Amino acid sequence: MILFLTERAEVVDEYEDKLIRTVSTSFKLPKVLRLFQTHKISQNVKFTRMNVFYRDHFQCQYCHIKLPACELTFDHVIPVSQKGETNWENVVTCCKSCNTFKGSKTIKAAGMKLFKIPKKPRWSPELCLRLLENDPIEWWNFFPKSKIAS
Ligand SMILES: [Zn+2]
């Protein structure tokens, strides 16, 4: 709503039966917005614990289990004790069991395998839109079928 009200987005589609009322006017609730600019939100993705979880879809990068944030931790692929850095390329989402098992060993020494190579995301992970099968039908016209989450 802030993007729309500050004229940084335009309404592509709106709900016919849902109104938003202000003191002086009313308008239909937007259903689909088009951003005028995206570069300001796509640069400089902050390295945070929660953004690492979003990037990895809340999935342990060793055993593939999906868990809520409170049950996840993160792991340094190259351990800190071996000069591993705390950055997008060396930190992955990890369940507590895998983290305990791996400890301060390398992946090879622990006999573990990474689900995918960690990279800095190009988009702010929490802003990425992922459609699921049961999401509202009106979104399907604006989203390539190849990007539908499973
Ligand atoms: Zn795990």
Side-chain angles (χ1 to χ4, degrees), residues 117-133:
I117 304 296
K119 295 177 185 169
K120 181 179 179 179
R122 291 177 55 211
W123 293 83
S124 185
E126 77 273 18
L127 294 175
C128 284
L129 177 63
R130 293 179 61 103
L131 283 185
L132 301 173
E133 294 292 336

mmCIF file of all heavy atoms in Angstrom, residues 117-133:
data_model
loop_
_atom_site.group_PDB
_atom_site.id
_atom_site.type_symbol
_atom_site.label_atom_id
_atom_site.label_comp_id
_atom_site.label_asym_id
_atom_site.label_seq_id
_atom_site.Cartn_x
_atom_site.Cartn_y
_atom_site.Cartn_z
ATOM 1 N N ILE A 117 25.601 -24.856 -3.606
ATOM 2 C CA ILE A 117 26.709 -23.955 -3.291
ATOM 3 C C ILE A 117 26.131 -22.614 -2.846
ATOM 4 O O ILE A 117 25.316 -22.019 -3.559
ATOM 5 C CB ILE A 117 27.607 -23.741 -4.535
ATOM 6 C CG1 ILE A 117 28.118 -25.080 -5.082
ATOM 7 C CG2 ILE A 117 28.753 -22.785 -4.225
ATOM 8 C CD1 ILE A 117 29.033 -25.841 -4.151
ATOM 9 N N PRO A 118 26.511 -22.130 -1.656
ATOM 10 C CA PRO A 118 25.943 -20.853 -1.186
ATOM 11 C C PRO A 118 26.462 -19.652 -1.975
ATOM 12 O O PRO A 118 27.653 -19.567 -2.274
ATOM 13 C CB PRO A 118 26.401 -20.787 0.275
ATOM 14 C CG PRO A 118 27.598 -21.668 0.357
ATOM 15 C CD PRO A 118 27.433 -22.728 -0.687
ATOM 16 N N LYS A 119 25.533 -18.767 -2.334
ATOM 17 C CA LYS A 119 25.871 -17.548 -3.082
ATOM 18 C C LYS A 119 25.095 -16.375 -2.500
ATOM 19 O O LYS A 119 24.045 -16.560 -1.901
ATOM 20 C CB LYS A 119 25.463 -17.692 -4.556
ATOM 21 C CG LYS A 119 26.208 -18.744 -5.315
ATOM 22 C CD LYS A 119 25.667 -18.832 -6.722
ATOM 23 C CE LYS A 119 26.324 -19.972 -7.486
ATOM 24 N NZ LYS A 119 25.660 -20.267 -8.744
ATOM 25 N N LYS A 120 25.593 -15.185 -2.774
ATOM 26 C CA LYS A 120 24.846 -13.984 -2.395
ATOM 27 C C LYS A 120 23.621 -13.878 -3.306
ATOM 28 O O LYS A 120 23.764 -13.945 -4.535
ATOM 29 C CB LYS A 120 25.715 -12.739 -2.556
ATOM 30 C CG LYS A 120 25.001 -11.463 -2.156
ATOM 31 C CD LYS A 120 25.903 -10.255 -2.311
ATOM 32 C CE LYS A 120 25.128 -8.997 -1.919
ATOM 33 N NZ LYS A 120 25.937 -7.787 -2.015
ATOM 34 N N PRO A 121 22.420 -13.745 -2.743
ATOM 35 C CA PRO A 121 21.238 -13.635 -3.607
ATOM 36 C C PRO A 121 21.208 -12.316 -4.366
ATOM 37 O O PRO A 121 21.719 -11.302 -3.880
ATOM 38 C CB PRO A 121 20.065 -13.744 -2.631
ATOM 39 C CG PRO A 121 20.615 -13.456 -1.297
ATOM 40 C CD PRO A 121 22.096 -13.712 -1.338
ATOM 41 N N ARG A 122 20.635 -12.339 -5.546
ATOM 42 C CA ARG A 122 20.524 -11.128 -6.360
ATOM 43 C C ARG A 122 19.351 -10.273 -5.895
ATOM 44 O O ARG A 122 19.311 -9.090 -6.134
ATOM 45 C CB ARG A 122 20.356 -11.497 -7.832
ATOM 46 C CG ARG A 122 21.618 -12.113 -8.412
ATOM 47 C CD ARG A 122 21.451 -12.541 -9.844
ATOM 48 N NE ARG A 122 20.987 -11.430 -10.652
ATOM 49 C CZ ARG A 122 20.213 -11.574 -11.719
ATOM 50 N NH1 ARG A 122 19.832 -12.759 -12.087
ATOM 51 N NH2 ARG A 122 19.833 -10.525 -12.421
ATOM 52 N N TRP A 123 18.371 -10.897 -5.280
ATOM 53 C CA TRP A 123 17.184 -10.201 -4.790
ATOM 54 C C TRP A 123 17.081 -10.399 -3.299
ATOM 55 O O TRP A 123 17.540 -11.389 -2.787
ATOM 56 C CB TRP A 123 15.922 -10.760 -5.446
ATOM 57 C CG TRP A 123 15.843 -10.474 -6.890
ATOM 58 C CD1 TRP A 123 16.431 -11.183 -7.900
ATOM 59 C CD2 TRP A 123 15.158 -9.394 -7.509
ATOM 60 N NE1 TRP A 123 16.141 -10.607 -9.086
ATOM 61 C CE2 TRP A 123 15.355 -9.508 -8.885
ATOM 62 C CE3 TRP A 123 14.383 -8.343 -7.007
ATOM 63 C CZ2 TRP A 123 14.816 -8.601 -9.782
ATOM 64 C CZ3 TRP A 123 13.847 -7.450 -7.902
ATOM 65 C CH2 TRP A 123 14.072 -7.582 -9.280
ATOM 66 N N SER A 124 16.471 -9.433 -2.657
ATOM 67 C CA SER A 124 16.238 -9.574 -1.231
ATOM 68 C C SER A 124 15.373 -10.816 -1.012
ATOM 69 O O SER A 124 14.243 -10.857 -1.483
ATOM 70 C CB SER A 124 15.537 -8.330 -0.693
ATOM 71 O OG SER A 124 15.416 -8.440 0.690
ATOM 72 N N PRO A 125 15.909 -11.848 -0.351
ATOM 73 C CA PRO A 125 15.187 -13.115 -0.276
ATOM 74 C C PRO A 125 13.782 -13.015 0.298
ATOM 75 O O PRO A 125 12.883 -13.710 -0.146
ATOM 76 C CB PRO A 125 16.077 -13.967 0.630
ATOM 77 C CG PRO A 125 17.428 -13.370 0.493
ATOM 78 C CD PRO A 125 17.195 -11.898 0.307
ATOM 79 N N GLU A 126 13.571 -12.136 1.275
ATOM 80 C CA GLU A 126 12.236 -12.067 1.865
ATOM 81 C C GLU A 126 11.226 -11.416 0.937
ATOM 82 O O GLU A 126 10.022 -11.518 1.146
ATOM 83 C CB GLU A 126 12.238 -11.378 3.238
ATOM 84 C CG GLU A 126 12.339 -9.881 3.210
ATOM 85 C CD GLU A 126 13.766 -9.363 3.160
ATOM 86 O OE1 GLU A 126 14.688 -10.115 2.819
ATOM 87 O OE2 GLU A 126 13.950 -8.185 3.477
ATOM 88 N N LEU A 127 11.726 -10.728 -0.133
ATOM 89 C CA LEU A 127 10.808 -10.090 -1.068
ATOM 90 C C LEU A 127 10.515 -10.956 -2.286
ATOM 91 O O LEU A 127 9.696 -10.590 -3.117
ATOM 92 C CB LEU A 127 11.377 -8.741 -1.535
ATOM 93 C CG LEU A 127 11.490 -7.678 -0.453
ATOM 94 C CD1 LEU A 127 12.169 -6.435 -1.022
ATOM 95 C CD2 LEU A 127 10.121 -7.314 0.098
ATOM 96 N N CYS A 128 11.188 -12.078 -2.403
ATOM 97 C CA CYS A 128 10.965 -12.946 -3.558
ATOM 98 C C CYS A 128 9.566 -13.558 -3.501
ATOM 99 O O CYS A 128 9.141 -14.073 -2.483
ATOM 100 C CB CYS A 128 11.992 -14.071 -3.601
ATOM 101 S SG CYS A 128 13.580 -13.489 -4.172
ATOM 102 N N LEU A 129 8.897 -13.454 -4.614
ATOM 103 C CA LEU A 129 7.560 -14.013 -4.695
ATOM 104 C C LEU A 129 7.650 -15.433 -5.211
ATOM 105 O O LEU A 129 8.228 -15.695 -6.247
ATOM 106 C CB LEU A 129 6.718 -13.170 -5.664
ATOM 107 C CG LEU A 129 5.313 -13.654 -5.927
ATOM 108 C CD1 LEU A 129 4.491 -13.632 -4.654
ATOM 109 C CD2 LEU A 129 4.680 -12.796 -6.989
ATOM 110 N N ARG A 130 7.106 -16.331 -4.460
ATOM 111 C CA ARG A 130 7.065 -17.724 -4.901
ATOM 112 C C ARG A 130 5.617 -18.166 -4.846
ATOM 113 O O ARG A 130 4.992 -18.149 -3.804
ATOM 114 C CB ARG A 130 7.921 -18.596 -4.003
ATOM 115 C CG ARG A 130 9.404 -18.279 -4.116
ATOM 116 C CD ARG A 130 10.176 -19.156 -3.194
ATOM 117 N NE ARG A 130 9.973 -20.545 -3.552
ATOM 118 C CZ ARG A 130 10.857 -21.280 -4.202
ATOM 119 N NH1 ARG A 130 11.986 -20.772 -4.542
ATOM 120 N NH2 ARG A 130 10.613 -22.537 -4.492
ATOM 121 N N LEU A 131 5.104 -18.533 -5.969
ATOM 122 C CA LEU A 131 3.719 -18.973 -6.016
ATOM 123 C C LEU A 131 3.620 -20.444 -5.660
ATOM 124 O O LEU A 131 4.436 -21.250 -6.053
ATOM 125 C CB LEU A 131 3.144 -18.762 -7.414
ATOM 126 C CG LEU A 131 2.771 -17.346 -7.782
ATOM 127 C CD1 LEU A 131 2.105 -17.331 -9.146
ATOM 128 C CD2 LEU A 131 1.842 -16.728 -6.762
ATOM 129 N N LEU A 132 2.590 -20.754 -4.927
ATOM 130 C CA LEU A 132 2.309 -22.132 -4.590
ATOM 131 C C LEU A 132 1.006 -22.521 -5.281
ATOM 132 O O LEU A 132 0.225 -21.654 -5.690
ATOM 133 C CB LEU A 132 2.188 -22.296 -3.071
ATOM 134 C CG LEU A 132 3.445 -21.891 -2.288
ATOM 135 C CD1 LEU A 132 3.163 -21.935 -0.797
ATOM 136 C CD2 LEU A 132 4.611 -22.802 -2.640
ATOM 137 N N GLU A 133 0.770 -23.791 -5.389
ATOM 138 C CA GLU A 133 -0.410 -24.302 -6.109
ATOM 139 C C GLU A 133 -1.717 -23.685 -5.618
ATOM 140 O O GLU A 133 -2.621 -23.448 -6.387
ATOM 141 C CB GLU A 133 -0.476 -25.820 -5.982
ATOM 142 C CG GLU A 133 0.661 -26.553 -6.664
ATOM 143 C CD GLU A 133 0.628 -26.449 -8.180
ATOM 144 O OE1 GLU A 133 -0.452 -26.225 -8.734
ATOM 145 O OE2 GLU A 133 1.693 -26.579 -8.793
#
